[in-house]
Amino acid sequence: MEGVKIFEPSDWEGSGLGEVEYVREDLKRTLEGLAKHLFGDVECRWVDAYFPFTDPSIELEIFFNDEWLEVLGCGVMQQQILDGNYGEGKRAWAFGLGIERLAMILFDIPDIRLFWSEDERFLKQFKAGDLSSKFKSFSKFPPCNKDVAFWISEDFTENNLCETVRGIAGDIVEEVKLIDEFANPKTGKTSHCYRIVYRSMERSLTDEEINSVQDKVRSALEDELKVELR
C-alpha cells in the first residue's frame, strides 16, 4: 500500500518551519497516528533510511511485544518527481508499507506464505473487522534454524537481506530475524546476527539440504550485499 500527501506553499508559509521540515513533521505526525490506531499506544521511533524516490528518507519502527519492529518506509518526495507530475512550487511526502507485514505483526503470523494458503486451519482463525485474533500454529513439520553473522556494509539493508535470502531459498524460508547487534568501538564497524528459520509446509527438511541452502545464502550476502562474514 502506498500513499502521497501534497502541500501548497500556503500550507507551510507562516508556520515558522522550512518547507521540508514542515512536510517531514506532518509525515511523522500522520504515520505515528496510523501506527497507534493499529497497535495501540505504542512507542515510535524514526530511523534514517534510503529510498530512491524520497529525500530525506526515514523508516518508522514501533516497540511492540517487547521488541522494535519496522513498520513502513517513507520520506519527502524528491522535488524533480513532484515538479514533473504536479507542477512546480509544491511539496509532498510519500510512504509505502506491506499490508502483509503489518498483519504479520498485528496477528502474530510468522510466515508470509500463509496469506496465500487455502487451509481452513488458517482461514478460520480470523474474522473481518476483528483485530484481537492471534495466530495459533498448526504446522506439523519442525523448523530448522540457521544463524549468520557479518559486519554490515554501506550496501546493506534488512530489506535487501530478506530479498536475497528468499530469492535463494524460496518458499522454505519462514522468517529472517535480527537477534544480535554489536558495534566495535575501535573499528567503527557494526555487526548483525540474523536467524533464518527454514520450514516447509509440506515435509520435514533435512540438515543436508538446509546446509546447502545456507552456504548459498552466505555466498550471496558477500557477493551482493558486500558484507564481511564472521
Side-chain angles (χ1 to χ4, degrees):
M1 184 176 79
E2 300 173 342
V4 174
K5 184 176 180 180
I6 301 173
F7 299 83
E8 300 284 351
S10 58
D11 293 320
W12 64 77
E13 290 174 352
S15 67
L17 300 175
E19 54 197 74
V20 173
E21 184 180 3
Y22 179 88
V23 172
R24 179 168 168 156
E25 290 304 309
D26 185 89
L27 164 65
K28 289 182 174 181
R29 183 169 58 251
T30 301
L31 296 183
E32 285 184 9
L34 171 63
K36 292 179 185 294
H37 174 74
L38 291 173
F39 298 99
D41 190 21
V42 292
E43 183 180 355
C44 299
R45 72 180 183 187
W46 293 93
V47 179
D48 290 337
Y50 167 78
F51 303 111
F53 306 116
T54 56
D55 185 24
S57 301
I58 47 180
E59 290 178 336
L60 174 61
E61 296 182 350
I62 62 170
F63 194 70
F64 188 72
N65 289 340
D66 298 322
E67 62 179 331
W68 285 103
L69 300 172
E70 177 193 335
V71 175
L72 55 84
C74 56
V76 178
M77 186 180 292
Q78 288 190 5
Q79 196 60 39
Q80 62 268 31
I81 298 174
L82 190 60
D83 291 347
N85 288 276
Y86 297 99
E88 297 182 359
K90 299 178 174 61
R91 281 288 188 174
W93 55 252
F95 77 95
L97 59 85
I99 295 296
E100 293 88 356
R101 176 160 177 76
L102 284 183
M104 290 174 72
I105 297 171
L106 192 60
F107 300 116
D108 291 342
I109 298 172
D111 188 348
I112 196 171
R113 297 170 295 176
L114 288 168
F115 290 109
W116 293 275
S117 170
E118 297 182 358
D119 194 317
E120 289 296 320
R121 293 174 297 175
F122 175 72
L123 299 177
K124 287 183 177 180
Q125 294 189 34
F126 306 98
K127 296 180 180 179
D130 182 5
L131 300 181
S132 63
S133 299
K134 299 297 180 183
F135 173 72
K136 297 179 179 63
S137 178
F138 57 81
S139 176
K140 62 181 179 180
F141 301 109
C144 181
N145 300 334
K146 293 291 183 179
D147 296 346
V148 57
F150 48 81
W151 300 104
I152 65 173
S153 67
E154 293 182 355
D155 296 326
F156 175 81
T157 69
E158 189 166 296
N159 286 338
N160 289 342
L161 169 67
C162 293
E163 290 179 2
T164 299
V165 173
R166 294 190 185 279
I168 294 170
D171 288 343
I172 64 172
V173 177
E174 180 174 290
E175 184 180 22
V176 180
K177 182 178 181 180
L178 179 67
I179 61 172
D180 186 58
E181 183 174 358
F182 167 72
N184 188 317
K186 295 183 179 179
T187 65
K189 292 183 177 180
T190 299
S191 171
H192 285 183
C193 181
Y194 284 87
R195 175 156 296 157
I196 305 173
V197 181
Y198 298 96
R199 190 199 314 249
S200 172
M201 302 291 286
E202 302 170 349
R203 60 185 176 83
S204 293
L205 300 172
T206 67
D207 286 337
E208 182 179 3
E209 65 180 310
I210 293 305
N211 287 338
S212 176
V213 171
Q214 186 74 356
D215 287 342
K216 293 177 182 178
V217 167
R218 290 173 61 87
S219 295
L221 295 183
E222 284 188 302
D223 296 339
E224 298 176 19
L225 302 187
K226 309 303 180 185
V227 302
E228 180 183 345
L229 295 175
R230 297 184 62 190

